[in-house]
Amino acid sequence: MTTHDPVLDLACRMPKAELHVHIEGTLEPDLAFALARRNGIALPYADEAALRAAYDFDSLQSFLDLYYACADVLRTADDFRDLMLAYLERAAADNVVHAEIFFDPQTHTARGIAYRTVLDGLEEGLRIGRQRWGISGLLILCFLRHLSEEEAFATLAEAEPWLDRIHGFGLDSSEQGHPPSKFARVFARCRELGKPVVAHAGEEGPPAYVVEALDLLGSARIDHGVRSVEDPALVARLAREAIPLTVCPLSNLRLCVFGTMAEHTLPQLLAAGVRVTVNSDDPAYFGGYLNDNIRAVQAAFAFDAATWQRIARNSFEASFVDAAQKAAWIAELDRMCTVDS
Ligand code: ADE
Ligand code: ZN
């Protein structure tokens, strides 16, 4: 979309990586109803407008309750493929060239959907997406932190026969009262299996959860981490150790982590030299995809082009692709920014 703000226009056109998006959070109401019809399931909402009207969250938990309920329409590998394709099409339109995509197998296996079904469908979507739009994607298996350590280990055991099909492990769901320490042994095993791990921390939870995610889980990135600013020593550490934060501005606004975008801690984190990235989290529920997040941030903070270039560069540097691929995307980004400046 062209705008009257040349900086915003450039930021939207920049190639970038999306490192924090939950595939179940990309389920748009129209697809939810189409899948419900296809699978003969009744959603507890009369129509798309009624479902959208329920997107009025006052906390992470109020969102998660709806998010898990809607995921019930996902039953077959074709459903997971179509969900992935719908996301990749939108991401590619926002000039996302690479996405590292979370999925929550426990949300599905608890309903009797086989882990293989989920994986087969998501992978087929990634394969078709790469052919159609040239977009690359990696899958990150997330454990639900409101469930037990034992359940996480059972999920890991289910995933182990197909370990080469996922790239890493993450931790999501209800943060308060479920500290990273609860999963220290699970994550030690994930790291032993040779996979990078990431964790949601410091979204609703305190900065101490960010410290635990780093020290007890070995988290290579922190998902959200926006409450880190409450601990200046932690911010200094994040900057010093170049630990990426996958920040999701519209999510934070919609889940009332901040009252207004002007209160968001993104500028403080940037000013402190933290490697921040901008991402969409659950775009179907929070008012938009990656470029919608960029537009909302730009409306609040009017960053310059160099700041957006920094954020896009961070997204490639923080990704899990190899050094040559990172360098190629960063060169493409720098070329575009030079031509435009
Ligand atoms: N699962 C999906 N979106 C999430 C979020 N923002 N925080 C924690 N768990 C999630
Ligand atoms: Zn998230």
Side-chain angles (χ1 to χ4, degrees):
M1 190 173 90
T2 10
T3 66
H4 296 298
D5 175 353
V7 173
L8 177 57
D9 184 40
L10 177 62
C12 289
R13 285 189 292 112
M14 284 177 194
K16 42 212 173 254
E18 173 145 68
L19 306 178
H20 184 160
V21 58
H22 302 260
I23 199 64
E24 295 87 352
T26 69
L27 180 60
E28 293 283 346
D30 57 345
L31 184 58
F33 276 91
L35 296 183
R37 273 192 301 276
R38 186 153 99 185
N39 292 320
I41 301 161
L43 273 167
Y45 297 93
D47 54 26
E48 291 172 32
L51 175 54
R52 260 184 219 289
Y55 293 179
D56 181 23
F57 312 116
D58 60 9
S59 63
L60 173 57
Q61 194 59 52
S62 65
F63 154 68
L64 290 172
D65 292 343
L66 181 66
Y67 162 87
Y68 294 130
C70 288
D72 189 40
V73 301
L74 297 161
R75 298 284 172 103
T76 67
D78 286 358
D79 299 343
F80 287 96
R81 177 202 60 209
D82 293 349
L83 180 67
M84 179 61 85
L85 283 173
Y87 163 68
L88 292 175
E89 182 168 22
R90 287 171 180 263
D94 280 354
N95 301 303
V96 171
V97 295
H98 174 69
E100 300 188 356
I101 302 162
F102 297 135
F103 71 113
D104 289 341
Q106 288 160 302
T107 301
H108 313 300
T109 53
R111 301 180 289 114
I113 314 295
Y115 178 74
R116 266 292 296 276
T117 301
V118 179
L119 200 55
D120 285 353
L122 294 179
E123 253 188 358
E124 193 189 357
L126 284 176
R127 193 178 47 72
I128 298 171
R130 184 185 272 278
Q131 278 170 1
R132 276 193 198 158
W133 304 295
I135 186 168
S136 79
L138 299 174
L139 295 175
I140 298 182
L141 184 164
C142 279
F143 300 105
L144 300 181
R145 68 202 304 160
H146 68 274
L147 300 179
S148 67
E149 180 197 47
E150 193 186 349
E151 287 163 298
F153 269 123
T155 299
L156 183 53
E158 264 183 292
E160 280 199 41
W162 296 285
L163 221 48
D164 57 324
R165 298 170 64 179
I166 60 167
H167 195 82
F169 293 93
L171 184 66
D172 65 3
S173 193
S174 323
E175 187 180 10
Q176 302 268 24
H178 301 286
S181 53
K182 182 175 164 187
F183 296 94
R185 292 188 296 194
V186 177
F187 273 61
R189 176 72 189 138
C190 294
R191 293 197 317 274
E192 264 171 33
L193 291 169
K195 301 286 182 186
V197 302
V198 297
H200 283 55
E203 177 185 17
E204 278 190 345
Y209 283 18
V210 176
V211 175
E212 278 195 12
L214 296 173
D215 293 342
L216 304 182
L217 303 188
S219 194
R221 304 192 289 246
I222 297 295
D223 296 314
H224 294 293
V226 291
R227 286 194 58 198
S228 299
V229 295
E230 294 166 35
D231 177 352
L234 173 59
V235 172
R237 175 184 177 186
L238 294 171
R240 192 173 59 246
E241 297 180 14
I243 295 157
L245 298 191
T246 63
V247 173
C248 307
L250 282 173
S251 164
N252 296 148
L253 200 61
R254 297 296 281 267
L255 299 187
C256 305
V257 173
F258 302 106
T260 64
M261 193 60 87
E263 294 163 64
H264 201 287
T265 53
L266 181 62
Q268 285 160 264
L269 292 163
L270 270 170
V274 177
R275 186 176 278 184
V276 293
T277 65
V278 168
N279 307 271
S280 68
D281 205 7
D282 300 287
Y285 294 91
F286 298 151
Y289 289 76
L290 187 43
N291 281 353
D292 297 307
N293 276 269
I294 289 176
R295 281 187 272 277
V297 168
Q298 187 66 355
F301 300 116
F303 290 158
D304 60 16
T307 301
W308 284 115
Q309 188 177 356
R310 172 86 252 161
I311 291 170
R313 186 187 176 99
N314 287 347
S315 74
F316 294 125
E317 285 174 345
S319 75
F320 291 138
V321 300
D322 63 40
Q325 180 62 79
K326 284 184 193 185
W329 280 327
I330 290 169
E332 196 183 314
L333 168 69
D334 290 348
R335 210 165 29 247
M336 166 184 280
C337 293
T338 310
V339 168
D340 264 78
S341 62

